[in-house]
Amino acid sequence: MSTPRAEALVLFGITGDLARKSLLPALYRLVEQGRLTEPVVGVVRGDWTLDKVRQRAREAISARLPLDEKTFASLCELLRVAVVDYDDAGTFAGIAEQTDGLGHLAHYLAIPPSLFTTVAANLAAAGLNERARLVVEKPFGHDLASARELQDTLTRFFPEERLRRVDHFLGKDVIEDLLTFRTANTLMSAALTGPHVRGVQITMAEDFDVADRGSFYDAVGALQDVVQNHLLQTLAFLIMDRPAGDDPVAILDAKAEVLRTVRAVLPADYVRGQYAGYRDVAGVKPDSTTETYAALRLYVDDERWSGVPFTIRAGKSMAAKTLEIVIELQPAGGSPANLIRFRLDPNPGVTFDLLAKSAGGDGTDPVAATLDFACLSGDDVRAYTHILEDAVTGDPHRFSRMDIVEECWRIVGDILGPPGAPVVYRPGTWGPEEADRLTRDGRWSPLENAPR
Ligand code: BG6
């Protein structure tokens, strides 16, 4: 697979929300660390100038990171702008002008997915697809059929080996570490096989609402926004085999293989919720049935995980912001079960809930052994430094391959269908109680990053 390093990063959506929140701070980090020296061409509409983009970058970066003027000046040196009307192929010449004389290009589309095919076609019409790769943000389609259709259209202009699908969770060190920590430690690999595991809970709770992105979110909902992609990718790292060697393609193959063993979720194993007040958010339909909370149970037809219930939940306006995995082991005798708790974000680390002889009697007392993975990050700016760097180098392993995207759509395929009314839950809570029944013993384990 030929993956030449790009000689410019062409950034569609540089004035958008994702760029403000994550991409511009990540570009700054890359410049600071000397990992990006290529021009960054921001694709903008007519009312934006280079000065305005630089100002926007300054505001975005200083909102997330301490800004050093010298580093910022180096980033500004790399910035260029091309004024483009996405619907007008002729205007794409502006990108050609800004990249004149440069070799391979990386076009990064941080724009609404409804524009992907138009932009890809117009890049091709301007001859900007020949020595270039196309990097597209999520979501990739809205079900299996539309993902395949999108794939067919995009590959007319950019063949598969030059197409990259972003899932920024794949840029999180701590998610990759799920595989490393589990497979590099005998202690972990011995414990985490089917016969010892009783149940797994994965929680992605966010304590904020969707006020600043109502119209995007209302068309998507929690299942498609974070479960079909981020959380199924997380699940894959938790249950997959580590292939021998470090071949990135072999890792993608192993991930695709394990996802093929995940059963499609049954409608009866799915609970949808919507926080009270969601329908008043700007951009949200007044009678919206979009879920802001999704909980589901699934099973894996793999020898090691057979019969183990995996319960996954994700929601907005919840009681805390945390991404955690709780693995419950089979208890020994009548003792309470040992738990292995992965904190992915914030405060990455793992805690083992163990038992020891109680001081005053014959029983047992709980003891918690807590490790912090201070060197690993679940932070999205750090994740996007990996994603943007890989967009430039072409390294495919932190992107989502098409067969993996297809498996993820298959797994949720039977619960995408016509939505009934979601259960309303109070903001600041853990979501609808109806979802408790999906867990192994009818309750969600308390989380470490959450108020008890
Ligand atoms: C995005 C979703 O992909 O991931 C958001 O669209 C979500 O709704 C975000 O908040 C969470 O990512 P992170 O890295 O900020 O926790």
Side-chain angles (χ1 to χ4, degrees):
M1 190 182 298
S2 113
T3 50
R5 188 176 171 98
E7 293 184 17
L9 176 69
V10 180
L11 184 50
F12 288 76
I14 194 167
T15 59
D17 213 47
L18 182 66
R20 179 179 55 78
K21 187 174 157 268
S22 310
L23 298 176
L24 288 164
L27 285 175
Y28 172 90
R29 275 264 187 266
L30 287 174
V31 171
E32 181 182 54
Q33 294 163 4
R35 284 150 67 194
L36 180 78
T37 50
E38 289 78 6
V40 176
V41 182
V43 178
V44 295
R45 304 197 193 218
D47 48 345
W48 283 87
T49 58
L50 181 55
D51 275 349
K52 252 175 103 174
V53 170
R54 285 177 172 159
Q55 185 52 34
R56 170 90 172 184
R58 173 185 288 281
E59 286 158 14
I61 295 159
S62 28
R64 294 291 307 261
L65 307 168
L67 183 139
D68 165 68
E69 289 298 338
K70 227 173 123 214
T71 308
F72 183 65
S74 308
L75 172 62
C76 285
E77 283 293 299
L78 301 180
L79 279 177
R80 307 174 179 185
V81 291
V83 176
V84 167
D85 173 353
Y86 296 160
D87 292 319
D88 179 354
T91 64
F92 280 62
I95 300 172
E97 274 165 36
Q98 293 300 328
T99 54
D100 191 28
L102 299 177
H104 215 79
L105 303 178
H107 301 295
Y108 192 112
L109 309 194
I111 54 177
S114 54
L115 296 168
F116 290 169
T117 52
T118 310
V119 168
N122 285 340
L123 282 169
L128 287 162
N129 63 330
E130 279 152 23
R131 281 177 303 143
R133 73 180 62 91
L134 185 72
V135 184
V136 297
E137 266 293 335
K138 60 163 261 283
F140 197 85
H142 50 85
D143 57 13
L144 182 56
S146 59
R148 285 184 173 153
E149 203 177 306
L150 179 60
Q151 170 77 0
D152 286 349
T153 312
L154 293 182
T155 49
R156 265 189 257 145
F157 310 113
F158 293 86
E160 173 62 21
E161 66 275 14
R162 290 195 274 118
L163 190 56
R164 299 287 183 275
R165 298 163 207 80
V166 176
D167 181 326
H168 79 280
F169 267 44
L170 301 177
K172 292 182 189 257
D173 305 322
V174 70
I175 301 273
E176 278 194 315
D177 189 50
L178 278 176
L179 177 61
T180 308
F181 190 73
R182 196 169 46 80
T183 53
N185 294 301
T186 314
L187 182 68
M188 293 297 294
S189 48
L192 294 186
T193 55
H196 300 304
V197 180
R198 203 182 197 191
V200 178
Q201 297 182 1
I202 303 179
T203 298
M204 177 181 179
E206 294 179 304
D207 57 0
F208 46 87
D209 60 22
V210 298
D212 51 348
R213 54 206 285 259
S215 59
F216 163 80
Y217 194 87
D218 203 37
V220 178
L223 184 66
Q224 295 187 46
D225 186 40
V226 299
V227 180
Q228 181 269 346
N229 34 57
H230 303 334
L231 295 185
L232 290 184
Q233 292 277 0
T234 304
L235 172 76
F237 276 117
L238 184 67
I239 61 174
M240 68 188 271
D241 282 324
R242 175 180 275 291
D246 277 331
D247 176 5
V249 175
I251 293 188
L252 293 172
D253 288 344
K255 193 193 281 181
E257 194 180 320
V258 82
L259 284 168
R260 279 196 287 275
T261 68
V262 177
R263 271 190 231 161
V265 180
L266 300 173
D269 288 345
Y270 178 42
V271 172
R272 305 164 70 244
Q274 187 185 77
Y275 67 81
Y278 170 73
R279 290 176 174 186
D280 302 328
V281 171
V284 170
K285 289 199 256 14
D287 56 352
S288 172
T289 57
T290 298
E291 78 284 351
T292 61
Y293 170 98
L296 55 84
R297 177 172 54 208
L298 55 76
Y299 293 90
V300 180
D301 281 327
D302 169 286
E303 219 180 303
R304 278 173 314 164
W305 303 106
S306 166
V308 176
F310 288 80
T311 318
I312 298 178
R313 63 177 165 170
K316 301 283 186 195
S317 278
M318 307 256 297
K321 171 161 169 40
T322 187
L323 176 61
E324 293 185 39
I325 300 175
V326 181
I327 300 169
E328 183 190 7
L329 300 183
Q330 295 288 0
S335 306
N338 289 156
L339 301 180
I340 303 176
R341 306 161 168 281
F342 283 103
R343 296 183 308 281
L344 304 180
D345 188 33
N347 315 316
V350 64
T351 297
F352 300 92
D353 282 9
L354 304 171
L355 297 167
K357 181 175 158 18
S358 53
D362 292 335
T364 54
D365 280 339
V367 278
T370 298
L371 305 177
D372 290 326
F373 299 152
C375 56
L376 295 179
S377 165
D379 175 77
D380 67 321
V381 172
R382 180 99 146 251
Y384 269 108
T385 61
H386 290 313
I387 302 290
L388 285 166
E389 187 172 35
D390 292 353
V392 171
T393 64
D395 180 344
H397 89 277
R398 290 196 185 93
F399 294 98
S400 194
R401 210 170 57 184
M402 187 57 191
D403 54 348
I404 292 173
V405 171
E406 288 185 329
E407 287 307 323
C408 292
W409 282 122
R410 177 192 59 75
I411 293 164
V412 298
D414 296 341
I415 55 172
L416 289 169
V423 185
V424 175
Y425 61 96
R426 257 189 320 120
T429 65
W430 287 101
E433 283 173 12
E434 279 77 350
D436 293 357
R437 69 172 170 83
L438 299 175
T439 62
R440 192 198 58 77
D441 61 350
R443 61 179 196 103
W444 295 92
S445 173
L447 299 175
E448 293 208 273
N449 279 324
R452 300 282 170 107

